[in-house]
Amino acid sequence: MYCSNCGTELPLNSFFCNKCGFKVVTTCNTAASETILMKGLCNRVKSPLFVQNGNAILTNQRFIYLKHSLAKTIAIGAFINLTEGSYDFDIPLSNISNIEDGRQGISKTIIINTKNGERYNFYVTNREEWKIKIQNALAELIK
């Protein structure tokens, strides 16, 4: 089970998140069956000149983005990638229409398109593995 506010894994039968204090909302269908499929370094490409450092968690139900604040990045520099980051947003897999290849300079990225027209561009390590995991998770939803 994971906190819907910050994405932190929670002990079974928790009422509040140990990290952010958010009240845990449990439903039989979602909280008990959410599992992590992949997690790792993930930088959000917000524009050609602005890339936000962070991490991502892919579960069987959503893609969670955890960002690093600019102040924290400046304070600890390159070591920022050793920290997880703070919850920024998540995209339910049921809201993803498709994923496509993108670019940021010479780097290849993954673009997640949502059913409501939003586009999210991410640079991730192991890009091909992320693509396959996301596509497989989307295929499982259809079954």
Side-chain angles (χ1 to χ4, degrees):
M1 187 165 61
Y2 299 90
C3 176
S4 61
N5 185 51
C6 72
T8 300
E9 188 168 6
L10 301 171
L12 197 58
N13 299 323
S14 296
F15 293 104
F16 295 92
C17 175
N18 296 337
K19 184 174 181 182
C20 72
F22 196 75
K23 183 174 176 164
V24 176
V25 178
T26 59
T27 62
C28 293
N29 294 341
T30 59
S33 62
E34 185 170 24
T35 57
I36 293 178
L37 304 175
M38 188 168 190
K39 63 195 292 189
L41 184 64
C42 176
N43 296 327
R44 182 175 178 200
V45 180
K46 294 184 103 175
S47 74
L49 299 175
F50 182 55
V51 177
Q52 183 178 51
N53 294 327
N55 281 285
I57 302 171
L58 176 65
T59 74
N60 60 331
Q61 296 180 11
R62 58 194 172 134
F63 178 91
I64 305 164
Y65 180 68
L66 308 160
K67 70 177 179 178
H68 296 302
S69 69
L70 181 58
K72 190 174 180 181
T73 302
I74 291 169
I76 62 177
F79 295 110
I80 194 75
N81 291 331
L82 301 175
T83 66
E84 193 168 81
S86 301
Y87 174 86
D88 192 22
F89 63 89
D90 63 77
I91 306 168
L93 293 183
S94 61
N95 191 32
I96 296 176
S97 61
N98 70 323
I99 62 169
E100 62 184 78
D101 293 326
R103 284 210 171 279
Q104 170 62 16
I106 60 170
S107 299
K108 293 181 179 180
T109 63
I110 294 174
I111 297 173
I112 297 176
N113 295 302
T114 65
K115 292 177 181 174
N116 56 354
E118 295 172 315
R119 291 172 53 94
Y120 298 92
N121 193 359
F122 298 101
Y123 171 79
V124 291
T125 53
N126 303 320
R127 187 179 72 85
E128 287 300 317
E129 187 177 353
W130 275 95
K131 275 180 59 178
I132 291 167
K133 292 277 188 182
I134 294 170
Q135 289 168 337
N136 288 345
L138 292 173
E140 282 296 316
L141 278 181
I142 296 170
K143 287 183 180 180

